[in-house]
Amino acid sequence: MKKLRFLIPLLLILSSVLGTAQKATLSGSITESGNPLPYVNVMLKGTQIGVSTNDEGQFSFESLDPGSYVLIASSIGYLPYRTLIKVGPGEAQWLEIQMEPSAESLEETVVTGTLKPVSRLESPVPVEVYTPAFFRKNPTPSIFDALQNVNGVRPQINCSVCNTGDIHINGLEGPYTLVLIDGMPIVSGLGTVYGLTGIPNSLIEQIEIVKGPASTLYGSEAVGGLINIITKHAPNAPEFFADGFVTGWGEYNLDIGSKIEMGKKTDLLLGVNYFNYDIPIDNNGDNFTDVTLQDRISIFQKWNFKRNNARMFSLAGRFFYEDRWGGEMQWTPEFRGGNEIYGESIYTRRWEVLGKYELPLKEKMLLSLSYNDHSQNSAYGNELYLADQRIGFGQLTWDKSIGKHDLLVGSALRYNYYDDNTPATTSADNILIPSLFVQDEIKLAPKHSFLAGLRYDYDKRHGNIFTPRAAYKWKFSDHDIFRVNAGTGFRVVNLFTEDHAALTGSREVVIVEALKPERSINVNLNYLKKIYSDNGTFISMDASVFYTHFSNIILPDYDTDPNAIIYDNLDGKSISQGVSANLEMVFANGFRFLAGATWQDVSNTENGITQRQILTESFTGTWNISYTFHSLNLSVDYTGNLYGPMRLPLLGALDPRQEFSPTWSIQNIQFTYKGLKDFEVYGGVKNLLDWTPNRGNPFIIARSNDPFDQNVTFDANGNAQATPDNPFALTFDPTYVYGPNQGVRGFFGLRYTVF
């Protein structure tokens, strides 16, 4: 018995040792483009086992029971990674995981929909989020160009000579889209296109897009939607970043960014963007430049100050200068403003400042301030346009939760100054607009919430303005959400800040009456579905139905008189309605698929006659197909868009150009090599189909051989007459444009990043 008592504890110790020897170990590293990712959450599904990666991006699970596990790695700004792992008794397994930045992430924190930080899944307002990784799949020299791959959003070129444009959302014209930088409405009217140009990609945290009414929070210009460019917070920015590329057309673009510590409590972000294109090209043979020549520089700074209790305090500023021209191939600056050689030359100087300061109070109160000064000196042939616009903005918000109520109360003051040399502006526009707004999100039940908001503005030109909105969210589950949004809009129009067609060509601008403000009612229904599978596949689907009804809408009339652009309030209604859907699929093997489609019907009804809105496509589609060859450190991205027919502005019954554009597509392919530490080498081909709008048309610019109409014969009413030299009775007109004139071209670039 004594020997047996001695053997029992020995057997217990031995069995424990043998049992431990049967346990498994699972370790690995997580990287993105070769750079380690710290603080990534790693868990084994169905267990309570989870860890975070260390500063070197490494993790380890020890003493695991043998078996099969679903490993999930997740981090804000990256697509979730899932894979099935099998570990045997006593096995020590090592994993190399490469995370992919999210193109349109569902896990992001968004602020645009409600003016307060909230998970995108919890926001009662549908907000689409795009990170710089999405735009790197088709490198462009500006955010304006990059938005061509966002479903339901289209960069519209408004002039085939100067190539200026605006952003259409769900078929609505550019002036209905508000562009924000860090939530500040410093980009509007005269400077809209320039707000989407010159911000280095390295300093952009994400771009948030709201399709639908936002006037309750952001004022009159956010009738159809808004784009909010959010710059990085210093701790999230790389120490140094450089990205440069060149195209086969001779375009050069360089982005440089850096994070600089200015003491223990101050960080500085510095970014510089430079773009140059100075080779006149005329592939369509009309003696006009196919693409506007540009030389621009933008310098951006953002100061972040560390305060007690992590309160916010930041200041940012940007300076922008651009010299662009297009016109006859023999044009040089000495012909600027003359009537010998036609050219459109635009000098733009712009600076912006903005700041946010969280008050040192127990309550959450945020003071936001911004100011911008935009000066434009333009010559459209012998028509000079000299304009200045200044916008000042201040806003104080109070964020308060009381029981089931999540309140936001705010007051804003906006200062608008605008002056130009056109006959329509007899005196400078000098307006001060005070505003009050309140928003309440009510938690009706665990799965139901309701948001109501009301904004009051006072404009001395139009009196009291009220813009209410409402939103309802039904969260079926963590993976299924249904939202309804409705609201009203109010917009005051300034033609010459918004429509460059009013200044180009030989058409006379006719303003029939004192233009009244536009009003709108907008409804949007949205359904979002997420699917996670055990084999690592991630699927996201969302669909929206939208409807907007305008009254007093102001649209340019190109049809009544081919020699004029007539502006007046529509005596009837304008409707924009449609359906939009997005699908994103990510597979564990490195294949990613993102596609979107929008069908829309945008029409105007006056005197019982309904007509499609000019320069508005009937449908659009976008796609992004990516695959990563991990063994080769090589990624392939195939991106593209598809646009349905749109009605185009003709100059009369004899005009031989097509009344409707064809269905057309721009497609691109890119190869990116990530096998060098801190470097990415990329290259590819843009516009693979070599599509340009002159296909199927005898010409794009009417009377390009006579831009000052010196050889046009007019009748007593000012109408062009058909002559042997002018058989189609045309005048010079560059407004017939619906897409880029740039054909197929290669590109090559290099990125260098130090974290």
Side-chain angles (χ1 to χ4, degrees):
M1 283 297 292
K2 289 183 179 180
K3 290 182 179 180
L4 185 60
R5 285 198 300 268
F6 173 77
L7 287 174
I8 289 175
L10 184 62
L11 290 171
L12 290 174
I13 293 173
L14 183 60
S15 64
S16 176
V17 171
L18 291 174
T20 301
Q22 299 303 308
K23 296 288 186 178
T25 300
L26 178 62
S27 305
S29 67
I30 300 181
T31 60
E32 189 265 314
S33 298
N35 300 297
L37 290 180
Y39 316 120
V40 176
N41 295 317
V42 187
M43 63 171 294
L44 302 180
K45 185 178 179 181
T47 74
Q48 299 297 316
I49 303 172
V51 297
S52 295
T53 57
N54 60 20
D55 291 340
E56 302 299 321
Q58 297 180 357
F59 67 92
S60 181
F61 295 106
E62 298 180 354
S63 300
L64 288 178
D65 292 327
S68 298
Y69 298 92
V70 175
L71 181 144
I72 301 174
S74 63
S75 180
I76 292 178
Y78 294 88
L79 289 168
Y81 179 93
R82 293 186 175 210
T83 186
L84 181 64
I85 301 295
K86 294 182 179 180
V87 291
E91 183 180 353
Q93 192 171 149
W94 178 268
L95 297 177
E96 295 281 353
I97 298 174
Q98 294 189 45
M99 298 282 282
E100 293 286 340
S102 55
E104 210 272 271
S105 175
L106 297 171
E107 312 299 335
E108 296 283 2
T109 296
V110 298
V111 297
T112 305
T114 58
L115 267 183
K116 59 174 65 180
V118 62
S119 165
R120 182 187 170 209
L121 290 174
E122 299 300 327
S123 173
V125 179
V127 181
E128 296 183 11
V129 181
Y130 296 90
T131 67
F134 173 83
F135 299 110
R136 284 199 295 266
K137 296 182 179 300
N138 178 33
T140 59
S142 71
I143 297 298
F144 175 83
D145 297 312
L147 290 173
Q148 64 185 280
N149 288 328
V150 176
N151 181 33
V153 178
R154 182 170 71 86
Q156 167 65 40
I157 297 175
N158 293 328
C159 173
S160 58
V161 178
C162 65
N163 291 166
T164 54
D166 51 34
I167 300 295
H168 291 200
I169 293 182
N170 287 345
L172 296 180
E173 293 287 331
Y176 303 108
T177 299
L178 180 63
V179 179
L180 310 170
I181 297 180
D182 285 338
M184 295 289 96
I186 61 176
V187 180
S188 61
L190 189 61
T192 297
V193 67
Y194 302 103
L196 293 168
T197 302
I199 300 178
N201 188 290
S202 61
L203 298 185
I204 296 176
E205 182 73 25
Q206 61 193 41
I207 294 178
E208 301 180 4
I209 299 176
V210 174
K211 300 173 182 176
S215 291
T216 301
L217 290 181
Y218 295 98
S220 66
E221 291 175 307
V223 173
L226 58 88
I227 299 170
N228 190 6
I229 302 171
I230 299 175
T231 58
K232 286 186 179 294
H233 187 54
N236 301 329
E239 294 289 341
F240 180 78
F241 175 92
D243 184 356
F245 69 84
V246 60
T247 75
W249 274 50
E251 299 163 294
Y252 298 90
N253 186 78
L254 177 64
D255 281 346
I256 297 176
S258 180
K259 176 175 65 177
I260 305 170
E261 291 187 3
M262 309 290 289
K264 294 183 178 180
K265 294 189 175 182
T266 306
D267 291 315
L268 168 65
L269 293 182
L270 175 64
V272 178
N273 169 259
Y274 178 71
F275 176 78
N276 180 269
Y277 169 63
D278 61 359
I279 303 174
I281 295 177
D282 177 26
N283 285 340
N284 60 17
D286 60 3
N287 194 41
F288 269 70
T289 54
D290 290 344
V291 177
T292 303
L293 282 71
Q294 302 172 51
D295 188 22
R296 70 167 177 260
I297 187 169
S298 177
I299 302 172
F300 180 88
Q301 286 190 4
K302 184 176 182 180
W303 298 75
N304 293 281
F305 303 93
K306 299 174 184 177
R307 300 173 59 209
N308 294 334
N309 301 316
R311 290 191 178 97
M312 179 185 298
F313 182 23
S314 67
L315 291 172
R318 184 170 74 119
F319 173 78
F320 176 97
Y321 179 80
E322 182 185 71
D323 175 2
R324 70 164 62 197
W325 77 269
E328 294 187 89
M329 293 291 287
Q330 61 270 37
W331 186 90
T332 55
E334 57 262 30
F335 295 108
R336 190 177 196 269
N339 60 359
E340 296 176 353
I341 304 296
Y342 188 89
E344 296 186 4
S345 170
I346 304 173
Y347 302 146
T348 302
R349 178 192 54 77
R350 177 182 179 87
W351 58 269
E352 307 158 351
V353 293
L354 59 152
K356 292 188 176 184
Y357 181 76
E358 189 175 347
L359 300 185
L361 304 172
K362 290 183 179 180
E363 300 293 337
K364 295 176 65 176
M365 301 187 73
L366 181 65
L367 177 65
S368 303
L369 300 168
S370 69
Y371 185 82
N372 76 79
D373 184 293
H374 185 108
S375 176
Q376 189 160 315
N377 181 330
S378 306
Y380 302 93
N382 57 355
E383 184 80 29
L384 294 179
Y385 175 60
L386 309 175
D388 290 290
Q389 185 175 48
R390 295 189 285 273
I391 299 175
F393 180 79
Q395 179 173 275
L396 180 65
T397 56
W398 176 41
D399 185 356
K400 181 70 173 180
S401 295
I402 304 174
K404 295 183 178 181
H405 297 266
D406 193 0
L407 291 165
L408 181 74
V409 180
S411 176
L413 185 66
R414 178 168 177 147
Y415 168 72
N416 286 350
Y417 172 87
Y418 174 76
D419 193 18
D420 66 32
N421 66 323
T422 65
T425 306
T426 56
S427 61
D429 193 10
N430 218 334
I431 301 296
L432 199 64
I433 304 175
S435 309
L436 295 171
F437 58 89
V438 61
Q439 174 181 275
D440 184 13
E441 184 178 354
I442 308 167
K443 193 76 173 178
L444 301 175
K447 296 183 178 181
H448 301 268
S449 64
F450 178 77
L451 180 145
L454 177 66
R455 183 184 184 96
Y456 165 76
D457 296 89
Y458 177 76
D459 188 322
K460 67 180 182 181
R461 298 166 296 183
H462 307 290
N464 301 318
I465 305 167
F466 292 92
T467 48
R469 81 159 171 175
Y472 166 72
K473 184 188 71 174
W474 179 13
K475 189 175 181 180
F476 302 14
S477 68
D478 289 339
H479 300 161
D480 297 88
I481 300 174
F482 174 73
R483 300 178 175 99
V484 180
N485 277 260
T488 64
F490 179 97
R491 193 176 76 91
V492 179
V493 178
N494 190 321
L495 295 180
F496 296 99
T497 68
E498 300 166 354
D499 193 351
H500 283 271
L503 297 160
T504 60
S506 61
R507 290 183 185 241
E508 179 187 1
V509 176
V510 179
I511 301 175
V512 174
E513 58 188 348
L515 299 177
K516 301 174 185 177
E518 299 177 335
R519 295 184 178 273
S520 69
I521 299 175
N522 189 307
V523 180
N524 184 297
L525 283 72
N526 174 263
Y527 174 69
L528 173 65
K529 173 74 174 178
K530 294 191 305 177
I531 300 173
Y532 295 95
S533 68
D534 289 343
N535 64 1
T537 301
F538 165 72
I539 301 174
S540 168
M541 299 175 288
D542 79 88
S544 295
V545 178
F546 57 88
Y547 176 88
T548 303
H549 179 283
F550 285 96
S551 58
N552 288 340
I553 193 170
I554 301 168
L555 292 172
D557 177 2
Y558 294 88
D559 303 317
T560 301
D561 184 348
N563 298 311
I565 305 177
I566 301 173
Y567 293 92
D568 66 347
N569 289 104
L570 187 73
D571 184 16
K573 64 180 180 179
S574 178
I575 301 295
S576 172
Q577 57 189 346
V579 179
S580 180
N582 292 296
L583 170 66
E584 182 176 10
M585 303 177 68
V586 182
F587 299 90
N589 64 0
F591 181 79
R592 299 174 62 184
F593 176 78
L594 177 65
T598 298
W599 170 85
Q600 58 196 18
D601 176 22
V602 185
S603 62
N604 306 311
T605 302
E606 189 171 26
N607 299 323
I609 300 174
T610 299
Q611 191 174 35
R612 279 181 58 181
Q613 182 170 299
I614 204 166
L615 292 172
T616 303
E617 68 277 13
S618 55
F619 64 86
T620 182
T622 59
W623 66 84
N624 185 324
I625 301 174
S626 302
Y627 185 76
T628 299
F629 298 89
H630 292 293
S631 60
L632 301 176
N633 293 306
L634 181 69
S635 296
V636 182
D637 299 293
Y638 172 50
T639 59
N641 50 50
L642 180 72
Y643 296 113
M646 61 183 75
R647 193 167 68 89
L648 303 172
L650 299 180
L651 291 180
L654 298 178
D655 195 330
R657 295 174 295 182
Q658 297 174 342
E659 181 182 4
F660 287 88
S661 67
T663 298
W664 54 282
S665 175
I666 300 291
Q667 301 177 26
N668 320 284
I669 191 166
Q670 176 183 244
F671 301 89
T672 305
Y673 178 70
K674 304 178 181 180
L676 302 174
K677 179 176 173 56
D678 300 331
F679 284 93
E680 289 185 8
V681 181
Y682 60 92
V685 180
K686 291 180 178 291
N687 198 356
L688 286 164
L689 304 180
D690 196 25
W691 179 91
T692 56
N694 61 300
R695 283 192 179 182
N697 274 308
F699 51 83
I700 295 296
I701 301 175
R703 296 289 293 176
S704 61
N705 63 322
D706 185 18
F708 297 100
D709 290 338
Q710 294 175 345
N711 299 315
V712 177
T713 300
F714 296 93
D715 64 15
N717 296 320
N719 297 316
Q721 298 295 294
T723 64
D725 179 61
N726 187 15
F728 305 119
L730 304 178
T731 57
F732 174 71
D733 182 56
T735 59
Y736 185 97
V737 59
Y738 57 94
N741 266 329
Q742 213 167 8
V744 63
R745 60 204 182 277
F747 66 95
F748 176 81
L750 180 68
R751 297 188 187 98
Y752 175 65
T753 307
V754 179
F755 286 93

